[in-house]
Amino acid sequence: MLRSLLLSSLFITFGFGAVAQAESIAKVVAASGGATASGHAITAGSDIAEHDKITVGSGGNVQLQFTDGTKLVVGPNSTLVIEKYLMQGGGTAKDVSVDALRGTFRFITGRSAKTAYDIKTANSTIGIRGTGFDFWVDDRTGLVVLEGLVQLCSKGKCVMVEAGCHAGLAHPGDARKLEGFSLSSSIHNHLPYVLDQSPLRPQFWLPVGTCSRVLSLSEPPGHDPHEPPPPPPPPPPKRGVP
């Protein structure tokens, strides 16, 4: 009898803990391309839990809506881990931490305070001051802001990027604005949903019309979109100095 009571107590203590860890924090609105969460196939209606690793194959995407209204798109050939999601009162989150490992993504904030969100990549951090932006991760991290304001940082160097299809690029130890031909090429190569939002449900759309002027720019032959801008010219010699 005593042994049974002890086993029941252990089940209640640890069993409920396991359930709490697997509590749903987001729902899959749409999924394609062999999408998985921590190795398990997911489809529309699937639950997503804290610590899940979302992986999407070629040509697919996963569209997630979190309990606080935050929306996240994991694009083709992309992987992301939801490291932390702590709720508080009023249907808002206290702490949302995401680790984007590789690929292309769209992030739209929900009801939670902007300071609650933390997005990390292998070479940078993204501080959210606004609402909607697309970003990509490879050996560098780039983003295009469509609504709001975003701060992109790498090892203490930061750049503030505002809405209107403005962009930033970061790699270890450097963060800077991305403009002109480099921006146009980066969008074409890395941000498919700026070019075409039809694969997404309407609630995941953002105002990409502001990018039309940038996308109309033609890249000159041989131009490297990741090449940093040339250094400024040297200052003129001081008067009287040969």
Side-chain angles (χ1 to χ4, degrees), residues 104-149:
T104 184
F105 309 90
R106 170 167 288 183
F107 196 88
I108 305 171
T109 56
R111 295 182 297 273
S112 302
K114 305 303 181 283
T115 54
Y117 300 99
D118 177 33
I119 298 177
K120 296 179 289 184
T121 74
N123 47 54
S124 67
T125 58
I126 300 174
I128 300 172
R129 305 290 182 268
T131 52
F133 61 97
D134 287 14
F135 69 103
W136 79 90
V137 180
D138 47 27
D139 58 329
R140 307 181 186 202
T141 298
L143 57 81
V144 169
V145 181
L146 301 165
E147 289 183 338
L149 189 67

Side-chain angles (χ1 to χ4, degrees), residues 25-78:
I25 61 171
K27 284 280 188 183
V28 176
V29 176
S32 59
T36 62
S38 299
H40 301 286
I42 52 177
T43 59
S46 294
D47 289 313
I48 299 298
E50 191 177 39
H51 308 306
D52 267 346
K53 182 178 183 179
I54 312 298
T55 303
V56 180
S58 176
N61 68 63
V62 171
Q63 301 167 52
L64 302 176
Q65 181 155 334
F66 289 79
T67 56
D68 73 330
T70 295
K71 299 176 184 66
L72 172 65
V73 178
V74 183
N77 298 312
S78 303

Side-chain angles (χ1 to χ4, degrees), residues 7-44:
L7 288 173
S8 298
S9 177
L10 288 171
F11 174 79
I12 292 171
T13 302
F14 295 104
F16 282 177
V19 171
Q21 289 178 356
E23 182 180 357
S24 176
I25 61 171
K27 284 280 188 183
V28 176
V29 176
S32 59
T36 62
S38 299
H40 301 286
I42 52 177
T43 59

Side-chain angles (χ1 to χ4, degrees), residues 151-164:
Q151 181 176 258
L152 179 63
C153 296
S154 178
K155 295 186 177 179
K157 292 193 176 182
C158 299
V159 62
M160 197 70 74
V161 185
E162 63 273 12

